[in-house]
Amino acid sequence: MKDFEDKLKRLEELSNAIKKPELKLEEALKYFEEGINLAKGMEKDIDKIEGKIQILMNNKVNMPEESPELDLFSSLD
C-alpha cells in the first residue's frame, strides 16, 4: 500500500470485517494481525511526518518574522 490514506482505508475495512458475527475465528485472527501490522506502520509514518514538521518549525532561516497560526492542528492534541 502506497500512502497513509490507503492504509487507513484498509484498516477500516479490517475493523468492519472483524465485527461480523459470521466470521470464523481463524479469519478474524488473520485480519487482526494485518490490522496490527498496518497500525504499526502508520504510527511510523506519523512519527516521520511529525519529525519533518518539527524540522520545518525549528528552521528559522526561511520563516517569516511571525510564527504561523497552527489552530488547524490544535484539535489533534
Side-chain angles (χ1 to χ4, degrees), residues 12-32:
E12 290 172 352
E13 290 170 355
L14 292 169
S15 176
N16 289 332
I18 288 173
K19 294 174 187 174
K20 294 180 181 178
E22 67 273 3
L23 187 67
K24 293 184 179 185
L25 181 60
E26 296 82 16
E27 199 70 19
L29 182 58
K30 179 180 150 187
Y31 290 162
F32 182 78

PDB file of all heavy atoms in Angstrom, residues 12-32:
ATOM      1  N   GLU A  12      -9.816   0.351   8.263  1.00  0.00           N
ATOM      2  CA  GLU A  12     -11.263   0.461   8.490  1.00  0.00           C
ATOM      3  C   GLU A  12     -11.999  -0.764   7.940  1.00  0.00           C
ATOM      4  O   GLU A  12     -12.928  -1.272   8.571  1.00  0.00           O
ATOM      5  CB  GLU A  12     -11.797   1.740   7.859  1.00  0.00           C
ATOM      6  CG  GLU A  12     -11.347   2.990   8.576  1.00  0.00           C
ATOM      7  CD  GLU A  12     -11.717   4.270   7.852  1.00  0.00           C
ATOM      8  OE1 GLU A  12     -12.197   4.217   6.698  1.00  0.00           O
ATOM      9  OE2 GLU A  12     -11.517   5.342   8.444  1.00  0.00           O
ATOM     10  N   GLU A  13     -11.583  -1.231   6.772  1.00  0.00           N
ATOM     11  CA  GLU A  13     -12.185  -2.433   6.185  1.00  0.00           C
ATOM     12  C   GLU A  13     -11.975  -3.641   7.100  1.00  0.00           C
ATOM     13  O   GLU A  13     -12.906  -4.429   7.332  1.00  0.00           O
ATOM     14  CB  GLU A  13     -11.579  -2.726   4.812  1.00  0.00           C
ATOM     15  CG  GLU A  13     -11.959  -1.743   3.745  1.00  0.00           C
ATOM     16  CD  GLU A  13     -11.153  -1.919   2.457  1.00  0.00           C
ATOM     17  OE1 GLU A  13     -10.226  -2.759   2.422  1.00  0.00           O
ATOM     18  OE2 GLU A  13     -11.448  -1.211   1.483  1.00  0.00           O
ATOM     19  N   LEU A  14     -10.776  -3.780   7.615  1.00  0.00           N
ATOM     20  CA  LEU A  14     -10.477  -4.903   8.518  1.00  0.00           C
ATOM     21  C   LEU A  14     -11.297  -4.810   9.795  1.00  0.00           C
ATOM     22  O   LEU A  14     -11.828  -5.815  10.279  1.00  0.00           O
ATOM     23  CB  LEU A  14      -8.981  -4.930   8.854  1.00  0.00           C
ATOM     24  CG  LEU A  14      -8.049  -5.268   7.698  1.00  0.00           C
ATOM     25  CD1 LEU A  14      -6.597  -4.989   8.082  1.00  0.00           C
ATOM     26  CD2 LEU A  14      -8.220  -6.716   7.269  1.00  0.00           C
ATOM     27  N   SER A  15     -11.418  -3.609  10.315  1.00  0.00           N
ATOM     28  CA  SER A  15     -12.194  -3.402  11.539  1.00  0.00           C
ATOM     29  C   SER A  15     -13.655  -3.793  11.326  1.00  0.00           C
ATOM     30  O   SER A  15     -14.258  -4.473  12.166  1.00  0.00           O
ATOM     31  CB  SER A  15     -12.099  -1.940  11.970  1.00  0.00           C
ATOM     32  OG  SER A  15     -12.914  -1.688  13.082  1.00  0.00           O
ATOM     33  N   ASN A  16     -14.221  -3.398  10.212  1.00  0.00           N
ATOM     34  CA  ASN A  16     -15.615  -3.749   9.910  1.00  0.00           C
ATOM     35  C   ASN A  16     -15.778  -5.246   9.690  1.00  0.00           C
ATOM     36  O   ASN A  16     -16.774  -5.839  10.114  1.00  0.00           O
ATOM     37  CB  ASN A  16     -16.108  -2.976   8.693  1.00  0.00           C
ATOM     38  CG  ASN A  16     -16.294  -1.507   8.981  1.00  0.00           C
ATOM     39  OD1 ASN A  16     -16.560  -1.104  10.110  1.00  0.00           O
ATOM     40  ND2 ASN A  16     -16.117  -0.678   7.970  1.00  0.00           N
ATOM     41  N   ALA A  17     -14.804  -5.865   9.047  1.00  0.00           N
ATOM     42  CA  ALA A  17     -14.880  -7.305   8.782  1.00  0.00           C
ATOM     43  C   ALA A  17     -14.836  -8.109  10.076  1.00  0.00           C
ATOM     44  O   ALA A  17     -15.556  -9.098  10.234  1.00  0.00           O
ATOM     45  CB  ALA A  17     -13.743  -7.730   7.855  1.00  0.00           C
ATOM     46  N   ILE A  18     -13.995  -7.685  11.006  1.00  0.00           N
ATOM     47  CA  ILE A  18     -13.860  -8.410  12.282  1.00  0.00           C
ATOM     48  C   ILE A  18     -15.151  -8.366  13.085  1.00  0.00           C
ATOM     49  O   ILE A  18     -15.441  -9.285  13.850  1.00  0.00           O
ATOM     50  CB  ILE A  18     -12.668  -7.847  13.087  1.00  0.00           C
ATOM     51  CG1 ILE A  18     -11.354  -8.273  12.425  1.00  0.00           C
ATOM     52  CG2 ILE A  18     -12.697  -8.293  14.533  1.00  0.00           C
ATOM     53  CD1 ILE A  18     -10.114  -7.658  13.029  1.00  0.00           C
ATOM     54  N   LYS A  19     -15.941  -7.333  12.910  1.00  0.00           N
ATOM     55  CA  LYS A  19     -17.184  -7.177  13.673  1.00  0.00           C
ATOM     56  C   LYS A  19     -18.308  -8.084  13.192  1.00  0.00           C
ATOM     57  O   LYS A  19     -19.322  -8.220  13.874  1.00  0.00           O
ATOM     58  CB  LYS A  19     -17.640  -5.718  13.618  1.00  0.00           C
ATOM     59  CG  LYS A  19     -16.688  -4.774  14.324  1.00  0.00           C
ATOM     60  CD  LYS A  19     -17.104  -3.336  14.118  1.00  0.00           C
ATOM     61  CE  LYS A  19     -16.056  -2.392  14.691  1.00  0.00           C
ATOM     62  NZ  LYS A  19     -16.364  -0.999  14.387  1.00  0.00           N
ATOM     63  N   LYS A  20     -18.143  -8.721  12.058  1.00  0.00           N
ATOM     64  CA  LYS A  20     -19.198  -9.583  11.523  1.00  0.00           C
ATOM     65  C   LYS A  20     -19.287 -10.868  12.341  1.00  0.00           C
ATOM     66  O   LYS A  20     -18.300 -11.573  12.513  1.00  0.00           O
ATOM     67  CB  LYS A  20     -18.928  -9.908  10.051  1.00  0.00           C
ATOM     68  CG  LYS A  20     -19.013  -8.701   9.155  1.00  0.00           C
ATOM     69  CD  LYS A  20     -18.737  -9.066   7.723  1.00  0.00           C
ATOM     70  CE  LYS A  20     -18.811  -7.820   6.844  1.00  0.00           C
ATOM     71  NZ  LYS A  20     -18.504  -8.120   5.459  1.00  0.00           N
ATOM     72  N   PRO A  21     -20.469 -11.181  12.830  1.00  0.00           N
ATOM     73  CA  PRO A  21     -20.615 -12.361  13.696  1.00  0.00           C
ATOM     74  C   PRO A  21     -20.368 -13.691  12.977  1.00  0.00           C
ATOM     75  O   PRO A  21     -19.978 -14.669  13.602  1.00  0.00           O
ATOM     76  CB  PRO A  21     -22.050 -12.275  14.210  1.00  0.00           C
ATOM     77  CG  PRO A  21     -22.749 -11.342  13.302  1.00  0.00           C
ATOM     78  CD  PRO A  21     -21.719 -10.459  12.674  1.00  0.00           C
ATOM     79  N   GLU A  22     -20.545 -13.734  11.674  1.00  0.00           N
ATOM     80  CA  GLU A  22     -20.371 -14.987  10.944  1.00  0.00           C
ATOM     81  C   GLU A  22     -18.909 -15.282  10.593  1.00  0.00           C
ATOM     82  O   GLU A  22     -18.588 -16.351  10.071  1.00  0.00           O
ATOM     83  CB  GLU A  22     -21.221 -15.000   9.671  1.00  0.00           C
ATOM     84  CG  GLU A  22     -20.809 -14.002   8.611  1.00  0.00           C
ATOM     85  CD  GLU A  22     -21.414 -12.615   8.762  1.00  0.00           C
ATOM     86  OE1 GLU A  22     -22.155 -12.368   9.747  1.00  0.00           O
ATOM     87  OE2 GLU A  22     -21.155 -11.774   7.900  1.00  0.00           O
ATOM     88  N   LEU A  23     -18.006 -14.352  10.911  1.00  0.00           N
ATOM     89  CA  LEU A  23     -16.590 -14.515  10.596  1.00  0.00           C
ATOM     90  C   LEU A  23     -15.973 -15.607  11.467  1.00  0.00           C
ATOM     91  O   LEU A  23     -16.179 -15.647  12.672  1.00  0.00           O
ATOM     92  CB  LEU A  23     -15.848 -13.192  10.828  1.00  0.00           C
ATOM     93  CG  LEU A  23     -14.400 -13.145  10.395  1.00  0.00           C
ATOM     94  CD1 LEU A  23     -14.281 -13.246   8.875  1.00  0.00           C
ATOM     95  CD2 LEU A  23     -13.751 -11.861  10.890  1.00  0.00           C
ATOM     96  N   LYS A  24     -15.236 -16.489  10.834  1.00  0.00           N
ATOM     97  CA  LYS A  24     -14.572 -17.567  11.567  1.00  0.00           C
ATOM     98  C   LYS A  24     -13.401 -16.995  12.366  1.00  0.00           C
ATOM     99  O   LYS A  24     -12.790 -16.002  11.988  1.00  0.00           O
ATOM    100  CB  LYS A  24     -14.070 -18.636  10.606  1.00  0.00           C
ATOM    101  CG  LYS A  24     -15.194 -19.385   9.922  1.00  0.00           C
ATOM    102  CD  LYS A  24     -14.650 -20.492   9.056  1.00  0.00           C
ATOM    103  CE  LYS A  24     -15.812 -21.232   8.406  1.00  0.00           C
ATOM    104  NZ  LYS A  24     -15.368 -22.387   7.652  1.00  0.00           N
ATOM    105  N   LEU A  25     -13.092 -17.666  13.462  1.00  0.00           N
ATOM    106  CA  LEU A  25     -12.046 -17.213  14.363  1.00  0.00           C
ATOM    107  C   LEU A  25     -10.688 -17.086  13.654  1.00  0.00           C
ATOM    108  O   LEU A  25      -9.965 -16.104  13.842  1.00  0.00           O
ATOM    109  CB  LEU A  25     -11.926 -18.158  15.561  1.00  0.00           C
ATOM    110  CG  LEU A  25     -10.882 -17.789  16.604  1.00  0.00           C
ATOM    111  CD1 LEU A  25     -11.172 -16.422  17.195  1.00  0.00           C
ATOM    112  CD2 LEU A  25     -10.833 -18.846  17.689  1.00  0.00           C
ATOM    113  N   GLU A  26     -10.354 -18.057  12.833  1.00  0.00           N
ATOM    114  CA  GLU A  26      -9.076 -18.029  12.130  1.00  0.00           C
ATOM    115  C   GLU A  26      -8.975 -16.819  11.204  1.00  0.00           C
ATOM    116  O   GLU A  26      -7.929 -16.176  11.098  1.00  0.00           O
ATOM    117  CB  GLU A  26      -8.862 -19.320  11.313  1.00  0.00           C
ATOM    118  CG  GLU A  26      -8.758 -20.570  12.144  1.00  0.00           C
ATOM    119  CD  GLU A  26     -10.128 -21.147  12.545  1.00  0.00           C
ATOM    120  OE1 GLU A  26     -11.160 -20.770  11.950  1.00  0.00           O
ATOM    121  OE2 GLU A  26     -10.139 -21.959  13.475  1.00  0.00           O
ATOM    122  N   GLU A  27     -10.066 -16.517  10.528  1.00  0.00           N
ATOM    123  CA  GLU A  27     -10.101 -15.367   9.622  1.00  0.00           C
ATOM    124  C   GLU A  27     -10.012 -14.066  10.416  1.00  0.00           C
ATOM    125  O   GLU A  27      -9.318 -13.133  10.016  1.00  0.00           O
ATOM    126  CB  GLU A  27     -11.384 -15.398   8.779  1.00  0.00           C
ATOM    127  CG  GLU A  27     -11.337 -14.561   7.533  1.00  0.00           C
ATOM    128  CD  GLU A  27     -10.410 -15.117   6.467  1.00  0.00           C
ATOM    129  OE1 GLU A  27     -10.059 -16.307   6.500  1.00  0.00           O
ATOM    130  OE2 GLU A  27     -10.015 -14.335   5.598  1.00  0.00           O
ATOM    131  N   ALA A  28     -10.708 -14.009  11.545  1.00  0.00           N
ATOM    132  CA  ALA A  28     -10.659 -12.812  12.391  1.00  0.00           C
ATOM    133  C   ALA A  28      -9.236 -12.571  12.895  1.00  0.00           C
ATOM    134  O   ALA A  28      -8.759 -11.436  12.920  1.00  0.00           O
ATOM    135  CB  ALA A  28     -11.620 -12.953  13.569  1.00  0.00           C
ATOM    136  N   LEU A  29      -8.556 -13.639  13.276  1.00  0.00           N
ATOM    137  CA  LEU A  29      -7.182 -13.520  13.746  1.00  0.00           C
ATOM    138  C   LEU A  29      -6.269 -13.018  12.628  1.00  0.00           C
ATOM    139  O   LEU A  29      -5.393 -12.165  12.854  1.00  0.00           O
ATOM    140  CB  LEU A  29      -6.684 -14.867  14.277  1.00  0.00           C
ATOM    141  CG  LEU A  29      -5.275 -14.890  14.838  1.00  0.00           C
ATOM    142  CD1 LEU A  29      -5.121 -13.898  15.976  1.00  0.00           C
ATOM    143  CD2 LEU A  29      -4.919 -16.289  15.288  1.00  0.00           C
ATOM    144  N   LYS A  30      -6.483 -13.513  11.424  1.00  0.00           N
ATOM    145  CA  LYS A  30      -5.706 -13.066  10.262  1.00  0.00           C
ATOM    146  C   LYS A  30      -5.920 -11.571  10.022  1.00  0.00           C
ATOM    147  O   LYS A  30      -4.965 -10.819   9.809  1.00  0.00           O
ATOM    148  CB  LYS A  30      -6.120 -13.882   9.042  1.00  0.00           C
ATOM    149  CG  LYS A  30      -5.429 -13.521   7.761  1.00  0.00           C
ATOM    150  CD  LYS A  30      -5.939 -14.396   6.634  1.00  0.00           C
ATOM    151  CE  LYS A  30      -5.873 -13.653   5.326  1.00  0.00           C
ATOM    152  NZ  LYS A  30      -6.503 -14.367   4.230  1.00  0.00           N
ATOM    153  N   TYR A  31      -7.169 -11.126  10.068  1.00  0.00           N
ATOM    154  CA  TYR A  31      -7.481  -9.715   9.876  1.00  0.00           C
ATOM    155  C   TYR A  31      -6.888  -8.864  10.997  1.00  0.00           C
ATOM    156  O   TYR A  31      -6.382  -7.768  10.772  1.00  0.00           O
ATOM    157  CB  TYR A  31      -8.988  -9.486   9.811  1.00  0.00           C
ATOM    158  CG  TYR A  31      -9.667 -10.022   8.578  1.00  0.00           C
ATOM    159  CD1 TYR A  31     -11.047 -10.206   8.565  1.00  0.00           C
ATOM    160  CD2 TYR A  31      -8.965 -10.337   7.421  1.00  0.00           C
ATOM    161  CE1 TYR A  31     -11.693 -10.691   7.440  1.00  0.00           C
ATOM    162  CE2 TYR A  31      -9.607 -10.820   6.295  1.00  0.00           C
ATOM    163  CZ  TYR A  31     -10.973 -10.993   6.312  1.00  0.00           C
ATOM    164  OH  TYR A  31     -11.610 -11.467   5.203  1.00  0.00           O
ATOM    165  N   PHE A  32      -6.975  -9.382  12.224  1.00  0.00           N
ATOM    166  CA  PHE A  32      -6.436  -8.660  13.373  1.00  0.00           C
ATOM    167  C   PHE A  32      -4.932  -8.469  13.225  1.00  0.00           C
ATOM    168  O   PHE A  32      -4.404  -7.375  13.448  1.00  0.00           O
ATOM    169  CB  PHE A  32      -6.760  -9.414  14.663  1.00  0.00           C
ATOM    170  CG  PHE A  32      -6.271  -8.718  15.891  1.00  0.00           C
ATOM    171  CD1 PHE A  32      -6.959  -7.627  16.408  1.00  0.00           C
ATOM    172  CD2 PHE A  32      -5.131  -9.146  16.537  1.00  0.00           C
ATOM    173  CE1 PHE A  32      -6.501  -6.969  17.540  1.00  0.00           C
ATOM    174  CE2 PHE A  32      -4.667  -8.504  17.675  1.00  0.00           C
ATOM    175  CZ  PHE A  32      -5.357  -7.412  18.176  1.00  0.00           C
TER     176      PHE A  32
END
